[in-house]
């Protein structure tokens, strides 16, 4: 199965010869000794999104402020029954009609399950229009649950991951590997060889964040994750071109399966007025992988 031609900005953490304890500039070693085994268990930092530390958000109505079609889509994606007959009688918006047409085309392609990759690309097109549409999210999941997809992905994962291996954060590495294989987004055709142009202070913060990311990616520990976030947040805060740094970090997070953090940065870019097609596409991908990646049966 072809993979996007890109090079990571630092040594690939999937290389088992890398020494994750050899990290200069981050005083983490002593703190690692104090961690319980539970804290080192594999995890995704989805509970720490950018700019959201308010526990009261957990008790809000998740449909509050959403248009009816988006509220219905959110519930459909989570499998929540919809009993609002008046809402069901509302004609689909032009956006929904466009997405439904793409999904219908995807279904035609998916009639041949060996065409699951081409079908998934059409599903991503539908998701890019509106990532909250539950039918589009479910359409992409169906592409990834065909027998042909499962066979291809199980063969690909078997080459790198031992089902009996209990290394820390194994699940996140499986998700990262799966995303790298399955994404067909044109934005991955090239990976920037250098860090974004910035001041020496910002450059140093980016390098520090990359070293901390290695700890977070390998061990899934809170200390490495917090050090990574602190460094990257500082780089964004001090960057003359914030959007350039945010775009670089959004891709870096995506490549290492920090899907929630990537989605949060991309959402901020869109809110700031970005109209980049690449930003919209990656945001749709990150929303799906953040919310639906747990259903992929080859990820343990």
């Amino acid at each position: 199965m072809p993979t996007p031609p890109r090079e990571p900005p630092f040594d690939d953490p999937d290389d088992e010869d890398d020494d994750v304890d050899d990290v200069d500039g981050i005083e983490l070693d002593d703190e690692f000794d104090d961690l319980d085994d539970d804290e080192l268990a594999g995890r995704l930092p989805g509970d720490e999104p950018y700019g959201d530390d308010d526990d009261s958000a957990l008790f809000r109505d998740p449909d509050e402020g959403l248009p009816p079609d988006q509220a219905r889509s959110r519930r459909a994606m989570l499998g929540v029954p919809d009993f609002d007959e008046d809402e069901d009688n509302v004609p689909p918006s032009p956006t929904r009609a466009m997405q439904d047409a793409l999904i219908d085309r995807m279904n035609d392609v998916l009639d041949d399950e060996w065409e699951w990759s081409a079908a998934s690309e059409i599903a991503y097109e539908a998701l890019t229009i509106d990532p909250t549409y539950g039918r589009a999210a479910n359409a992409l999941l169906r592409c990834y649950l065909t027998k042909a997809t499962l066979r291809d992905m199980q063969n690909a994962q078997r080459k790198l991951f031992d089902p009996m291996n209990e290394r820390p954060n194994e699940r996140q590495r499986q998700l990262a590997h799966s995303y790298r294989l399955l994404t067909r987004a044109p934005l991955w055709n090239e990976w920037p060889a250098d860090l974004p142009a910035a001041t020496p202070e910002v450059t140093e913060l980016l390098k520090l964040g990359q070293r901390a990311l290695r700890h977070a990616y390998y061990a899934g520990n809170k200390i490495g994750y917090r050090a990574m976030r602190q460094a990257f947040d500082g780089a964004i805060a001090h960057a003359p071109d914030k959007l350039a740094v945010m775009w670089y970090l959004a891709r870096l997070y995506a490549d290492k399966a920090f899907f929630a953090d990537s989605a949060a940065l991309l959402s901020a870019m869109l809110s700031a007025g970005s109209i980049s097609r690449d930003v919209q596409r990656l945001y749709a991908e990150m929303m799906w992988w953040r919310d639906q990646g747990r259903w992929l049966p080859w990820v343990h």
Side-chain angles (χ1 to χ4, degrees):
M1 185 184 304
T3 56
R6 48 181 163 138
E7 293 293 333
F10 52 85
D11 292 341
D12 191 346
D14 287 333
D15 184 352
E16 295 184 4
D17 294 333
D18 286 341
D19 184 2
V20 299
D21 293 327
D22 184 16
V23 179
D24 299 328
I26 310 177
E27 298 178 359
L28 298 175
D29 294 338
D30 293 338
E31 295 179 271
F32 283 157
D33 295 337
D34 298 331
L35 288 174
D36 296 332
D37 290 340
D38 290 342
E39 292 184 88
L40 290 174
R43 61 183 291 276
L44 287 177
D47 57 339
E48 301 181 58
Y50 275 84
D52 187 4
D53 298 322
D54 185 4
D55 291 338
S56 65
L58 295 173
F59 303 99
R60 291 193 311 228
D61 180 359
D63 291 340
E64 182 180 354
L66 291 178
D69 56 352
Q70 289 191 14
R72 185 168 58 252
S73 294
R74 188 201 68 80
R75 295 194 295 273
M77 187 159 37
L78 298 176
V80 178
D82 196 339
F83 300 107
D84 191 337
E85 296 182 359
D86 292 337
E87 197 173 272
D88 287 339
N89 292 329
V90 176
S93 65
T95 297
R96 286 290 178 266
M98 188 183 307
Q99 290 178 286
D100 287 339
L102 285 168
I103 295 169
D104 291 342
R105 180 156 64 92
M106 184 219 76
N107 289 332
D108 291 338
V109 174
L110 198 60
D111 283 342
D112 180 356
E113 70 168 30
W114 294 103
E115 293 296 327
W116 64 265
S117 182
S120 70
E121 181 58 30
I122 300 173
Y124 273 124
E125 289 181 35
L127 274 173
T128 302
I129 296 173
D130 180 2
T132 69
Y133 191 21
R135 187 174 178 232
N138 290 334
L140 180 59
L141 184 60
R142 284 193 288 109
C143 294
Y144 290 160
L145 293 182
T146 64
K147 291 181 180 179
T149 315
L150 297 177
R151 186 181 301 112
D152 289 346
M153 291 305 299
Q154 286 171 349
N155 290 336
Q157 293 279 67
R158 192 180 296 119
K159 296 176 182 178
L160 293 178
F161 301 101
D162 181 354
M164 304 304 294
N165 194 317
E166 297 182 357
R167 291 186 304 172
N169 223 29
E170 184 81 346
R171 183 175 182 275
Q172 182 164 353
R173 286 195 294 275
Q174 289 182 345
L175 280 168
H177 182 248
S178 298
Y179 173 69
R180 293 168 189 167
L181 288 178
L182 291 173
T183 179
R184 296 292 182 268
L187 63 97
W188 292 116
N189 289 341
E190 294 182 4
W191 187 290
D194 302 316
L195 294 172
T199 63
E201 177 187 13
V202 171
T203 299
E204 186 59 33
L205 285 169
L206 290 173
K207 292 179 179 178
L208 180 64
Q210 286 185 348
R211 293 195 292 269
L213 182 148
R214 292 170 64 83
H215 282 278
Y217 182 75
Y218 268 104
N221 62 77
K222 295 181 180 179
I223 295 173
Y225 174 74
R226 288 170 182 164
M228 173 190 75
R229 278 288 303 271
Q230 183 177 8
F232 286 155
D233 289 355
I236 294 172
H238 293 91
D241 188 349
K242 297 185 187 307
L243 288 180
V245 173
M246 292 170 72
W247 177 232
Y248 178 84
L249 293 178
R251 285 176 291 171
L252 185 61
Y253 280 143
D255 187 63
K256 298 298 177 282
F258 291 98
F259 302 131
D261 297 287
S262 180
L265 281 179
L266 294 162
S267 176
M269 293 180 68
L270 292 171
S271 298
S274 174
I275 58 173
S276 167
R277 177 71 177 178
D278 286 341
V279 172
Q280 294 172 351
R281 169 60 184 263
L282 188 57
Y283 179 61
E285 291 193 344
M286 292 299 97
M287 290 283 285
W288 191 92
W289 282 84
R290 183 195 70 183
D291 298 335
Q292 309 299 323
R294 66 186 183 276
W295 302 117
L296 300 177
W298 61 82
V299 177
H300 306 287

